[in-house]
Amino acid sequence: MSEYEKKVLEICNVSKKYGDFNALKDISFCINQGDIVGLLGHNGAGKSTLIKCVMGAIQSYTGDISYKGNNILTYREPFVKDVGILLEPAFVEYLSGEENLKLLAISMGKKYNQGKINELLEMVSLKKASKKKVSDYSFGMRQRLGLAQALLNDPKLLILDEPTVGLDPVGTELMKTTLKNMSQKGVAIMFSSHELQAVEDICNRIVVIQNGELIYDDSMDKLNSKEICIVTDNKPEDILCKFGEDVTVENCYVTIKDVKIIDEVISCIKENGLMIKDISTKNNMLFQFFKGGTSK
Amino acid sequence: MNLLGVQLRKMYQRKDIKVAYLLFLAVPLVVAFLIKSESNIITIGDSIFSGIGYVSVVLGLLKGLFVFYILIFLFTTSLISGEIDSMNDAVYYCKVEKRSSIITSKINALVIMSFLLIMDICFSASLGWMFFLRNSKFGSMNYFSTSLEENQFMIMMIVFSFIEIVVLMLISANMSLFLSQGKALMGSFLIIIIFKLIANIDGVQKFVPTYIGNLTSVMELSGKKFWNGVLEEGLIFLAYIIVMVIMLINKYKRMDYVR
């Protein structure tokens, strides 16, 4: 497969202003087939605005967004056919979940397939509630219906805005499993979330937006270099100086940045008569990025 | 066509629309009953109604009481402004190629709904006349008047009332693109009040949709003059419709679904 074929969504120099406020500043990145891209940032960082630009809900942006090489606003047919988007779980309140899905399926210009709708409702665990009005749904149920709506056209690109919000642990797990399965089938996925654990569990790439600017775009592996934290019974003093910057000591807490030297550090601690009370791993890099404390 | 079906299915599952149809079915019957019973709740003097005459009176009454306008504005603003506010249109835009097809399907659905509301009133008023008035001292035995000109006027008044509703719906739809649902609803009422006020100004009045809709200016005319007057007013309505539809589609195609 060529690079061009792999590239599914390309966002080029996209900027959006609301009056004098720059909601997005020159954002550029692309999503490849099979990618699961986590879009991170504070509330108001510009994530939802970017997703609204991608779905075409916002058209007054500068720059270019293309799907498989075609601008999404001027050549919309392949985009509409292949893309599933969950922005906010927006449905017709007085209709049932099933009726909402039917109407969306009809609007796609196809004869709707009841089997497909049943399958999706089953998948998002809403089969029993499918005849209930959406106004009686909880937020989590709406989110799950939103996921079903996004999957209605068997998308090749899936874009989700905070899909885990309002979901219980079972719902979150269901969402993660669904996204992983879809990715394995070659579907490109981008989703924004505040659930760092979900991002860490399923994403292979992270894009961080801060104040409308893209500050990080790289693989998840680079962020996954975990630190090891050891708690000792007494302060190790200077015995760990020889490890240089790879080991930091703060009172009884020893942080090892390079996992390869862990055995050496443990031996050193024991040899000096100290007791190890606890060993744990921590990955605070993602949190640092989320806080926007690290620049590109 | 698919989207029109979607909009109609959405609309006809709304409780308030069902209530509106029932209301418009009930009012002509109740009014006819009250006239016949001479209960003094409604007094009409020495008037004698033909079937078509009673239909036009009921239509005029519902418009005069603003009931028709209120319902049309409510449905228009909720279908257009409400669904932009709730991001429902954005969801549908991810499923269809052309934005214009979303708004045209909504407008067509609203036109069909308005037409059926008018038909609902005509049907119910005809029934009311048949059951309560025809055989009373307030009704003539014939559905149509013996005067051809009177019949022509009544029928054209019903047609123009429908077109008036379509024009007002389009004005409200345009407002819905700029304003949130509540504000668009208030704005539409304000427009009606302004129309009612400027309908009293000579010279300007013949351009006011609510004035044209009653065909007041051609009421006294007959023969060719009547039809010329109807044509002239029809052309003004047509101009309104063309301008409103062009503005609506152009704005909708370019707007952001963000308030």
mmCIF file of all heavy atoms in Angstrom, chain A residues 16 55-60 76-77 80 87-88 90-92 94-95 99 103 106-109 149, chain B residues 2-3 6 9-10 13-14 86-88 90 92-97 99 253-254 256-258:
data_model
loop_
_atom_site.group_PDB
_atom_site.id
_atom_site.type_symbol
_atom_site.label_atom_id
_atom_site.label_comp_id
_atom_site.label_asym_id
_atom_site.label_seq_id
_atom_site.Cartn_x
_atom_site.Cartn_y
_atom_site.Cartn_z
ATOM 1 N N LYS A 16 -8.988 28.735 12.787
ATOM 2 C CA LYS A 16 -10.372 29.193 12.942
ATOM 3 C C LYS A 16 -10.413 30.276 14.003
ATOM 4 O O LYS A 16 -9.835 30.128 15.084
ATOM 5 C CB LYS A 16 -11.270 28.008 13.344
ATOM 6 C CG LYS A 16 -12.649 28.378 13.850
ATOM 7 C CD LYS A 16 -13.548 28.912 12.763
ATOM 8 C CE LYS A 16 -14.832 29.488 13.357
ATOM 9 N NZ LYS A 16 -15.527 30.378 12.438
ATOM 10 N N MET A 55 -15.916 17.570 10.450
ATOM 11 C CA MET A 55 -17.224 17.032 10.035
ATOM 12 C C MET A 55 -17.965 17.988 9.113
ATOM 13 O O MET A 55 -18.952 17.601 8.492
ATOM 14 C CB MET A 55 -18.077 16.660 11.254
ATOM 15 C CG MET A 55 -18.661 17.822 12.024
ATOM 16 S SD MET A 55 -19.302 17.313 13.634
ATOM 17 C CE MET A 55 -20.804 16.474 13.161
ATOM 18 N N GLY A 56 -17.488 19.219 9.002
ATOM 19 C CA GLY A 56 -18.134 20.182 8.100
ATOM 20 C C GLY A 56 -19.171 21.033 8.800
ATOM 21 O O GLY A 56 -19.824 21.850 8.164
ATOM 22 N N ALA A 57 -19.324 20.853 10.110
ATOM 23 C CA ALA A 57 -20.283 21.680 10.841
ATOM 24 C C ALA A 57 -19.795 23.126 10.884
ATOM 25 O O ALA A 57 -20.575 24.063 10.851
ATOM 26 C CB ALA A 57 -20.472 21.155 12.261
ATOM 27 N N ILE A 58 -18.460 23.289 10.935
ATOM 28 C CA ILE A 58 -17.863 24.618 10.791
ATOM 29 C C ILE A 58 -17.208 24.658 9.417
ATOM 30 O O ILE A 58 -16.405 23.790 9.080
ATOM 31 C CB ILE A 58 -16.820 24.894 11.897
ATOM 32 C CG1 ILE A 58 -17.505 25.004 13.253
ATOM 33 C CG2 ILE A 58 -16.016 26.156 11.592
ATOM 34 C CD1 ILE A 58 -16.555 25.190 14.427
ATOM 35 N N GLN A 59 -17.588 25.660 8.630
ATOM 36 C CA GLN A 59 -17.009 25.765 7.282
ATOM 37 C C GLN A 59 -16.128 27.001 7.146
ATOM 38 O O GLN A 59 -15.377 27.121 6.176
ATOM 39 C CB GLN A 59 -18.134 25.835 6.249
ATOM 40 C CG GLN A 59 -19.048 24.628 6.299
ATOM 41 C CD GLN A 59 -19.999 24.562 5.116
ATOM 42 O OE1 GLN A 59 -20.274 25.563 4.474
ATOM 43 N NE2 GLN A 59 -20.494 23.378 4.821
ATOM 44 N N SER A 60 -16.265 27.920 8.116
ATOM 45 C CA SER A 60 -15.559 29.196 7.967
ATOM 46 C C SER A 60 -14.156 29.128 8.563
ATOM 47 O O SER A 60 -13.771 29.969 9.350
ATOM 48 C CB SER A 60 -16.372 30.287 8.661
ATOM 49 O OG SER A 60 -16.538 29.966 10.031
ATOM 50 N N ARG A 76 -17.617 15.808 -1.448
ATOM 51 C CA ARG A 76 -18.094 15.255 -0.187
ATOM 52 C C ARG A 76 -18.525 13.793 -0.254
ATOM 53 O O ARG A 76 -18.612 13.110 0.759
ATOM 54 C CB ARG A 76 -19.279 16.114 0.293
ATOM 55 C CG ARG A 76 -19.471 16.038 1.778
ATOM 56 C CD ARG A 76 -20.233 17.153 2.351
ATOM 57 N NE ARG A 76 -20.622 16.823 3.711
ATOM 58 C CZ ARG A 76 -19.820 16.943 4.759
ATOM 59 N NH1 ARG A 76 -18.610 17.396 4.604
ATOM 60 N NH2 ARG A 76 -20.241 16.591 5.963
ATOM 61 N N GLU A 77 -18.804 13.320 -1.439
ATOM 62 C CA GLU A 77 -19.398 11.986 -1.567
ATOM 63 C C GLU A 77 -18.599 10.878 -0.850
ATOM 64 O O GLU A 77 -19.156 10.162 -0.019
ATOM 65 C CB GLU A 77 -19.602 11.648 -3.045
ATOM 66 C CG GLU A 77 -20.441 10.393 -3.219
ATOM 67 C CD GLU A 77 -20.378 9.857 -4.628
ATOM 68 O OE1 GLU A 77 -19.998 10.605 -5.541
ATOM 69 O OE2 GLU A 77 -20.683 8.659 -4.797
ATOM 70 N N VAL A 80 -18.714 11.349 3.061
ATOM 71 C CA VAL A 80 -19.995 10.997 3.683
ATOM 72 C C VAL A 80 -20.186 9.481 3.710
ATOM 73 O O VAL A 80 -20.704 8.915 4.674
ATOM 74 C CB VAL A 80 -21.150 11.690 2.910
ATOM 75 C CG1 VAL A 80 -22.491 11.108 3.295
ATOM 76 C CG2 VAL A 80 -21.137 13.181 3.184
ATOM 77 N N LEU A 87 -20.163 13.609 17.646
ATOM 78 C CA LEU A 87 -19.739 14.884 18.228
ATOM 79 C C LEU A 87 -20.400 15.028 19.599
ATOM 80 O O LEU A 87 -19.773 14.898 20.626
ATOM 81 C CB LEU A 87 -20.137 16.044 17.311
ATOM 82 C CG LEU A 87 -19.804 17.425 17.835
ATOM 83 C CD1 LEU A 87 -18.304 17.617 17.937
ATOM 84 C CD2 LEU A 87 -20.397 18.492 16.943
ATOM 85 N N GLU A 88 -21.670 15.294 19.567
ATOM 86 C CA GLU A 88 -22.448 15.276 20.803
ATOM 87 C C GLU A 88 -23.557 14.294 20.505
ATOM 88 O O GLU A 88 -23.998 14.212 19.371
ATOM 89 C CB GLU A 88 -23.070 16.656 21.069
ATOM 90 C CG GLU A 88 -22.083 17.707 21.462
ATOM 91 C CD GLU A 88 -22.675 19.111 21.349
ATOM 92 O OE1 GLU A 88 -23.899 19.252 21.409
ATOM 93 O OE2 GLU A 88 -21.889 20.043 21.196
ATOM 94 N N ALA A 90 -26.503 13.977 19.700
ATOM 95 C CA ALA A 90 -27.666 14.799 19.336
ATOM 96 C C ALA A 90 -28.692 13.962 18.591
ATOM 97 O O ALA A 90 -28.419 13.507 17.488
ATOM 98 C CB ALA A 90 -27.211 15.963 18.464
ATOM 99 N N PHE A 91 -29.839 13.784 19.217
ATOM 100 C CA PHE A 91 -30.887 12.973 18.588
ATOM 101 C C PHE A 91 -32.231 13.679 18.699
ATOM 102 O O PHE A 91 -32.367 14.639 19.452
ATOM 103 C CB PHE A 91 -30.970 11.602 19.268
ATOM 104 C CG PHE A 91 -29.742 10.774 19.047
ATOM 105 C CD1 PHE A 91 -28.774 10.669 20.031
ATOM 106 C CD2 PHE A 91 -29.529 10.138 17.844
ATOM 107 C CE1 PHE A 91 -27.623 9.936 19.817
ATOM 108 C CE2 PHE A 91 -28.388 9.399 17.619
ATOM 109 C CZ PHE A 91 -27.439 9.306 18.609
ATOM 110 N N VAL A 92 -33.202 13.158 17.946
ATOM 111 C CA VAL A 92 -34.565 13.687 18.062
ATOM 112 C C VAL A 92 -35.143 13.087 19.345
ATOM 113 O O VAL A 92 -35.354 11.872 19.428
ATOM 114 C CB VAL A 92 -35.415 13.310 16.833
ATOM 115 C CG1 VAL A 92 -36.794 13.913 16.953
ATOM 116 C CG2 VAL A 92 -34.729 13.771 15.554
ATOM 117 N N TYR A 94 -37.968 13.055 20.955
ATOM 118 C CA TYR A 94 -39.269 12.401 21.114
ATOM 119 C C TYR A 94 -39.379 11.107 20.313
ATOM 120 O O TYR A 94 -40.433 10.490 20.271
ATOM 121 C CB TYR A 94 -40.411 13.368 20.760
ATOM 122 C CG TYR A 94 -40.255 14.031 19.403
ATOM 123 C CD1 TYR A 94 -40.712 13.416 18.248
ATOM 124 C CD2 TYR A 94 -39.632 15.264 19.289
ATOM 125 C CE1 TYR A 94 -40.551 14.016 17.012
ATOM 126 C CE2 TYR A 94 -39.468 15.871 18.067
ATOM 127 C CZ TYR A 94 -39.934 15.243 16.928
ATOM 128 O OH TYR A 94 -39.769 15.833 15.695
ATOM 129 N N LEU A 95 -38.278 10.719 19.653
ATOM 130 C CA LEU A 95 -38.276 9.437 18.934
ATOM 131 C C LEU A 95 -37.471 8.411 19.719
ATOM 132 O O LEU A 95 -36.619 8.768 20.534
ATOM 133 C CB LEU A 95 -37.662 9.610 17.546
ATOM 134 C CG LEU A 95 -38.392 10.540 16.568
ATOM 135 C CD1 LEU A 95 -37.657 10.581 15.242
ATOM 136 C CD2 LEU A 95 -39.822 10.088 16.349
ATOM 137 N N GLU A 99 -35.736 4.349 16.156
ATOM 138 C CA GLU A 99 -36.324 5.230 15.131
ATOM 139 C C GLU A 99 -35.299 6.266 14.674
ATOM 140 O O GLU A 99 -35.186 6.570 13.491
ATOM 141 C CB GLU A 99 -37.562 5.915 15.714
ATOM 142 C CG GLU A 99 -38.392 6.692 14.713
ATOM 143 C CD GLU A 99 -39.212 5.827 13.771
ATOM 144 O OE1 GLU A 99 -39.354 4.617 14.019
ATOM 145 O OE2 GLU A 99 -39.698 6.357 12.774
ATOM 146 N N LEU A 103 -34.053 6.732 10.822
ATOM 147 C CA LEU A 103 -34.135 7.982 10.056
ATOM 148 C C LEU A 103 -32.770 8.377 9.502
ATOM 149 O O LEU A 103 -32.666 8.848 8.366
ATOM 150 C CB LEU A 103 -34.704 9.109 10.926
ATOM 151 C CG LEU A 103 -36.168 8.963 11.338
ATOM 152 C CD1 LEU A 103 -36.653 10.206 12.058
ATOM 153 C CD2 LEU A 103 -37.071 8.704 10.141
ATOM 154 N N ILE A 106 -32.075 6.165 6.578
ATOM 155 C CA ILE A 106 -32.857 6.572 5.394
ATOM 156 C C ILE A 106 -32.228 7.808 4.759
ATOM 157 O O ILE A 106 -32.115 7.913 3.540
ATOM 158 C CB ILE A 106 -34.332 6.857 5.775
ATOM 159 C CG1 ILE A 106 -35.013 5.569 6.236
ATOM 160 C CG2 ILE A 106 -35.104 7.454 4.600
ATOM 161 C CD1 ILE A 106 -36.361 5.784 6.907
ATOM 162 N N SER A 107 -31.786 8.748 5.602
ATOM 163 C CA SER A 107 -31.215 9.983 5.055
ATOM 164 C C SER A 107 -29.932 9.727 4.273
ATOM 165 O O SER A 107 -29.525 10.541 3.460
ATOM 166 C CB SER A 107 -30.955 10.989 6.175
ATOM 167 O OG SER A 107 -29.915 10.524 6.987
ATOM 168 N N MET A 108 -29.302 8.583 4.544
ATOM 169 C CA MET A 108 -28.083 8.250 3.794
ATOM 170 C C MET A 108 -28.409 7.790 2.381
ATOM 171 O O MET A 108 -27.510 7.510 1.586
ATOM 172 C CB MET A 108 -27.307 7.142 4.517
ATOM 173 C CG MET A 108 -26.551 7.650 5.740
ATOM 174 S SD MET A 108 -26.298 6.364 6.992
ATOM 175 C CE MET A 108 -25.437 5.132 6.091
ATOM 176 N N GLY A 109 -29.704 7.716 2.089
ATOM 177 C CA GLY A 109 -30.099 7.396 0.724
ATOM 178 C C GLY A 109 -30.193 5.911 0.460
ATOM 179 O O GLY A 109 -30.301 5.478 -0.671
ATOM 180 N N GLN A 149 -24.786 5.256 15.926
ATOM 181 C CA GLN A 149 -25.054 6.171 14.811
ATOM 182 C C GLN A 149 -23.812 6.369 13.948
ATOM 183 O O GLN A 149 -23.869 6.353 12.716
ATOM 184 C CB GLN A 149 -25.573 7.491 15.395
ATOM 185 C CG GLN A 149 -25.626 8.691 14.492
ATOM 186 C CD GLN A 149 -24.315 9.446 14.438
ATOM 187 O OE1 GLN A 149 -23.729 9.578 13.364
ATOM 188 N NE2 GLN A 149 -23.805 9.897 15.567
ATOM 189 N N ASN B 2 -35.630 11.111 0.131
ATOM 190 C CA ASN B 2 -35.383 10.388 1.380
ATOM 191 C C ASN B 2 -35.457 11.321 2.573
ATOM 192 O O ASN B 2 -36.055 11.000 3.582
ATOM 193 C CB ASN B 2 -33.994 9.754 1.348
ATOM 194 C CG ASN B 2 -33.948 8.582 0.408
ATOM 195 O OD1 ASN B 2 -34.882 7.798 0.348
ATOM 196 N ND2 ASN B 2 -32.883 8.471 -0.347
ATOM 197 N N LEU B 3 -34.806 12.487 2.389
ATOM 198 C CA LEU B 3 -34.762 13.432 3.498
ATOM 199 C C LEU B 3 -36.130 14.032 3.786
ATOM 200 O O LEU B 3 -36.473 14.277 4.944
ATOM 201 C CB LEU B 3 -33.763 14.554 3.186
ATOM 202 C CG LEU B 3 -32.344 14.319 3.656
ATOM 203 C CD1 LEU B 3 -31.450 15.456 3.214
ATOM 204 C CD2 LEU B 3 -32.280 14.180 5.161
ATOM 205 N N VAL B 6 -37.862 11.678 5.856
ATOM 206 C CA VAL B 6 -37.317 11.731 7.228
ATOM 207 C C VAL B 6 -37.947 12.898 8.000
ATOM 208 O O VAL B 6 -38.397 12.730 9.136
ATOM 209 C CB VAL B 6 -35.774 11.877 7.182
ATOM 210 C CG1 VAL B 6 -35.220 12.248 8.548
ATOM 211 C CG2 VAL B 6 -35.130 10.603 6.679
ATOM 212 N N ARG B 9 -41.596 12.200 8.770
ATOM 213 C CA ARG B 9 -41.730 11.201 9.842
ATOM 214 C C ARG B 9 -41.405 11.822 11.195
ATOM 215 O O ARG B 9 -42.042 11.528 12.202
ATOM 216 C CB ARG B 9 -40.803 10.007 9.580
ATOM 217 C CG ARG B 9 -41.370 9.067 8.540
ATOM 218 C CD ARG B 9 -40.403 8.005 8.175
ATOM 219 N NE ARG B 9 -40.370 6.925 9.139
ATOM 220 C CZ ARG B 9 -39.964 5.688 8.837
ATOM 221 N NH1 ARG B 9 -39.589 5.400 7.607
ATOM 222 N NH2 ARG B 9 -39.934 4.754 9.742
ATOM 223 N N LYS B 10 -40.389 12.698 11.189
ATOM 224 C CA LYS B 10 -40.021 13.382 12.429
ATOM 225 C C LYS B 10 -41.173 14.275 12.897
ATOM 226 O O LYS B 10 -41.549 14.264 14.057
ATOM 227 C CB LYS B 10 -38.782 14.252 12.188
ATOM 228 C CG LYS B 10 -37.506 13.565 12.557
ATOM 229 C CD LYS B 10 -36.240 14.353 12.397
ATOM 230 C CE LYS B 10 -36.193 15.695 11.838
ATOM 231 N NZ LYS B 10 -34.841 16.170 11.516
ATOM 232 N N GLN B 13 -44.514 12.727 14.283
ATOM 233 C CA GLN B 13 -44.460 12.012 15.555
ATOM 234 C C GLN B 13 -44.406 12.988 16.717
ATOM 235 O O GLN B 13 -44.287 12.586 17.863
ATOM 236 C CB GLN B 13 -43.254 11.074 15.560
ATOM 237 C CG GLN B 13 -43.424 10.010 14.502
ATOM 238 C CD GLN B 13 -42.700 8.727 14.822
ATOM 239 O OE1 GLN B 13 -42.675 8.308 15.955
ATOM 240 N NE2 GLN B 13 -42.124 8.121 13.818
ATOM 241 N N ARG B 14 -44.464 14.275 16.378
ATOM 242 C CA ARG B 14 -44.461 15.275 17.449
ATOM 243 C C ARG B 14 -45.851 15.413 18.027
ATOM 244 O O ARG B 14 -46.824 15.519 17.287
ATOM 245 C CB ARG B 14 -44.025 16.631 16.888
ATOM 246 C CG ARG B 14 -42.548 16.741 16.662
ATOM 247 C CD ARG B 14 -42.227 18.056 16.041
ATOM 248 N NE ARG B 14 -42.627 19.159 16.915
ATOM 249 C CZ ARG B 14 -41.987 20.312 16.947
ATOM 250 N NH1 ARG B 14 -40.940 20.496 16.185
ATOM 251 N NH2 ARG B 14 -42.393 21.278 17.727
ATOM 252 N N SER B 86 -29.280 22.050 18.615
ATOM 253 C CA SER B 86 -29.011 20.756 19.253
ATOM 254 C C SER B 86 -27.951 19.938 18.512
ATOM 255 O O SER B 86 -27.648 18.819 18.913
ATOM 256 C CB SER B 86 -30.303 19.948 19.335
ATOM 257 O OG SER B 86 -30.682 19.529 18.034
ATOM 258 N N MET B 87 -27.410 20.479 17.438
ATOM 259 C CA MET B 87 -26.392 19.808 16.593
ATOM 260 C C MET B 87 -26.986 18.638 15.793
ATOM 261 O O MET B 87 -26.251 17.869 15.195
ATOM 262 C CB MET B 87 -25.190 19.289 17.418
ATOM 263 C CG MET B 87 -24.338 20.349 18.060
ATOM 264 S SD MET B 87 -23.648 21.559 16.910
ATOM 265 C CE MET B 87 -22.368 20.634 16.106
ATOM 266 N N ASN B 88 -28.312 18.536 15.810
ATOM 267 C CA ASN B 88 -28.944 17.460 15.054
ATOM 268 C C ASN B 88 -28.676 17.605 13.551
ATOM 269 O O ASN B 88 -28.448 16.615 12.850
ATOM 270 C CB ASN B 88 -30.452 17.503 15.341
ATOM 271 C CG ASN B 88 -31.095 16.174 15.091
ATOM 272 O OD1 ASN B 88 -31.592 15.943 14.005
ATOM 273 N ND2 ASN B 88 -31.045 15.283 16.056
ATOM 274 N N ALA B 90 -26.047 18.904 12.253
ATOM 275 C CA ALA B 90 -24.649 18.522 12.020
ATOM 276 C C ALA B 90 -24.532 17.014 11.863
ATOM 277 O O ALA B 90 -23.787 16.520 11.013
ATOM 278 C CB ALA B 90 -23.780 19.017 13.172
ATOM 279 N N TYR B 92 -26.889 15.008 10.766
ATOM 280 C CA TYR B 92 -27.449 14.644 9.454
ATOM 281 C C TYR B 92 -26.505 15.048 8.321
ATOM 282 O O TYR B 92 -26.425 14.374 7.300
ATOM 283 C CB TYR B 92 -28.843 15.268 9.258
ATOM 284 C CG TYR B 92 -29.912 14.385 9.847
ATOM 285 C CD1 TYR B 92 -30.245 14.455 11.187
ATOM 286 C CD2 TYR B 92 -30.556 13.431 9.074
ATOM 287 C CE1 TYR B 92 -31.190 13.622 11.744
ATOM 288 C CE2 TYR B 92 -31.512 12.583 9.616
ATOM 289 C CZ TYR B 92 -31.822 12.686 10.954
ATOM 290 O OH TYR B 92 -32.747 11.836 11.496
ATOM 291 N N TYR B 93 -25.784 16.163 8.530
ATOM 292 C CA TYR B 93 -24.870 16.610 7.475
ATOM 293 C C TYR B 93 -23.729 15.612 7.266
ATOM 294 O O TYR B 93 -23.128 15.570 6.201
ATOM 295 C CB TYR B 93 -24.332 18.004 7.805
ATOM 296 C CG TYR B 93 -23.459 18.564 6.700
ATOM 297 C CD1 TYR B 93 -23.900 18.559 5.372
ATOM 298 C CD2 TYR B 93 -22.210 19.095 6.978
ATOM 299 C CE1 TYR B 93 -23.102 19.065 4.358
ATOM 300 C CE2 TYR B 93 -21.409 19.605 5.971
ATOM 301 C CZ TYR B 93 -21.864 19.590 4.666
ATOM 302 O OH TYR B 93 -21.069 20.086 3.656
ATOM 303 N N CYS B 94 -23.447 14.806 8.286
ATOM 304 C CA CYS B 94 -22.411 13.775 8.121
ATOM 305 C C CYS B 94 -22.943 12.595 7.308
ATOM 306 O O CYS B 94 -22.193 11.689 6.972
ATOM 307 C CB CYS B 94 -21.942 13.270 9.479
ATOM 308 S SG CYS B 94 -21.080 14.519 10.398
ATOM 309 N N LYS B 95 -24.234 12.585 7.038
ATOM 310 C CA LYS B 95 -24.828 11.456 6.319
ATOM 311 C C LYS B 95 -25.284 11.835 4.911
ATOM 312 O O LYS B 95 -25.643 10.968 4.127
ATOM 313 C CB LYS B 95 -26.048 10.912 7.087
ATOM 314 C CG LYS B 95 -25.806 10.612 8.547
ATOM 315 C CD LYS B 95 -25.023 9.339 8.752
ATOM 316 C CE LYS B 95 -24.798 9.054 10.225
ATOM 317 N NZ LYS B 95 -23.709 8.121 10.456
ATOM 318 N N VAL B 96 -25.352 13.140 4.626
ATOM 319 C CA VAL B 96 -25.816 13.544 3.291
ATOM 320 C C VAL B 96 -24.760 14.418 2.611
ATOM 321 O O VAL B 96 -23.969 15.079 3.270
ATOM 322 C CB VAL B 96 -27.159 14.309 3.343
ATOM 323 C CG1 VAL B 96 -28.263 13.433 3.890
ATOM 324 C CG2 VAL B 96 -27.048 15.577 4.157
ATOM 325 N N GLU B 97 -24.780 14.391 1.276
ATOM 326 C CA GLU B 97 -23.743 15.118 0.535
ATOM 327 C C GLU B 97 -23.968 16.615 0.516
ATOM 328 O O GLU B 97 -23.039 17.397 0.623
ATOM 329 C CB GLU B 97 -23.699 14.616 -0.906
ATOM 330 C CG GLU B 97 -22.945 13.330 -1.063
ATOM 331 C CD GLU B 97 -23.047 12.829 -2.481
ATOM 332 O OE1 GLU B 97 -22.848 13.622 -3.403
ATOM 333 O OE2 GLU B 97 -23.338 11.636 -2.655
ATOM 334 N N ARG B 99 -25.704 20.135 1.809
ATOM 335 C CA ARG B 99 -26.367 20.811 2.917
ATOM 336 C C ARG B 99 -27.731 21.322 2.489
ATOM 337 O O ARG B 99 -28.682 21.301 3.262
ATOM 338 C CB ARG B 99 -25.538 22.016 3.342
ATOM 339 C CG ARG B 99 -24.607 21.726 4.467
ATOM 340 C CD ARG B 99 -24.135 23.032 5.015
ATOM 341 N NE ARG B 99 -23.232 22.778 6.116
ATOM 342 C CZ ARG B 99 -22.975 23.663 7.052
ATOM 343 N NH1 ARG B 99 -23.536 24.842 7.006
ATOM 344 N NH2 ARG B 99 -22.161 23.379 8.023
ATOM 345 N N LYS B 253 -26.289 27.012 3.420
ATOM 346 C CA LYS B 253 -25.156 26.296 2.820
ATOM 347 C C LYS B 253 -23.820 26.761 3.388
ATOM 348 O O LYS B 253 -22.870 26.005 3.471
ATOM 349 C CB LYS B 253 -25.157 26.521 1.305
ATOM 350 C CG LYS B 253 -25.970 25.478 0.552
ATOM 351 C CD LYS B 253 -26.359 25.933 -0.831
ATOM 352 C CE LYS B 253 -25.213 26.029 -1.789
ATOM 353 N NZ LYS B 253 -25.687 26.401 -3.143
ATOM 354 N N ARG B 254 -23.765 28.025 3.760
ATOM 355 C CA ARG B 254 -22.483 28.586 4.194
ATOM 356 C C ARG B 254 -22.326 28.711 5.708
ATOM 357 O O ARG B 254 -21.232 28.991 6.192
ATOM 358 C CB ARG B 254 -22.312 29.977 3.575
ATOM 359 C CG ARG B 254 -22.028 29.926 2.099
ATOM 360 C CD ARG B 254 -22.122 31.299 1.451
ATOM 361 N NE ARG B 254 -21.786 31.239 0.047
ATOM 362 C CZ ARG B 254 -22.589 30.761 -0.903
ATOM 363 N NH1 ARG B 254 -23.778 30.311 -0.573
ATOM 364 N NH2 ARG B 254 -22.212 30.718 -2.168
ATOM 365 N N ASP B 256 -22.080 28.136 9.809
ATOM 366 C CA ASP B 256 -21.506 27.168 10.749
ATOM 367 C C ASP B 256 -22.621 26.718 11.678
ATOM 368 O O ASP B 256 -23.434 27.524 12.102
ATOM 369 C CB ASP B 256 -20.408 27.819 11.592
ATOM 370 C CG ASP B 256 -19.186 28.157 10.752
ATOM 371 O OD1 ASP B 256 -19.012 27.550 9.682
ATOM 372 O OD2 ASP B 256 -18.418 29.034 11.170
ATOM 373 N N TYR B 257 -22.635 25.427 11.982
ATOM 374 C CA TYR B 257 -23.645 24.949 12.932
ATOM 375 C C TYR B 257 -23.174 25.238 14.353
ATOM 376 O O TYR B 257 -23.095 24.352 15.191
ATOM 377 C CB TYR B 257 -23.846 23.443 12.792
ATOM 378 C CG TYR B 257 -24.462 22.967 11.497
ATOM 379 C CD1 TYR B 257 -23.903 21.915 10.787
ATOM 380 C CD2 TYR B 257 -25.617 23.540 10.988
ATOM 381 C CE1 TYR B 257 -24.471 21.451 9.612
ATOM 382 C CE2 TYR B 257 -26.188 23.087 9.815
ATOM 383 C CZ TYR B 257 -25.614 22.045 9.139
ATOM 384 O OH TYR B 257 -26.176 21.584 7.979
ATOM 385 N N VAL B 258 -22.821 26.467 14.586
ATOM 386 C CA VAL B 258 -22.314 26.843 15.908
ATOM 387 C C VAL B 258 -22.947 28.170 16.261
ATOM 388 O O VAL B 258 -22.921 29.100 15.456
ATOM 389 C CB VAL B 258 -20.777 27.008 15.883
ATOM 390 C CG1 VAL B 258 -20.273 27.474 17.229
ATOM 391 C CG2 VAL B 258 -20.102 25.714 15.495
#
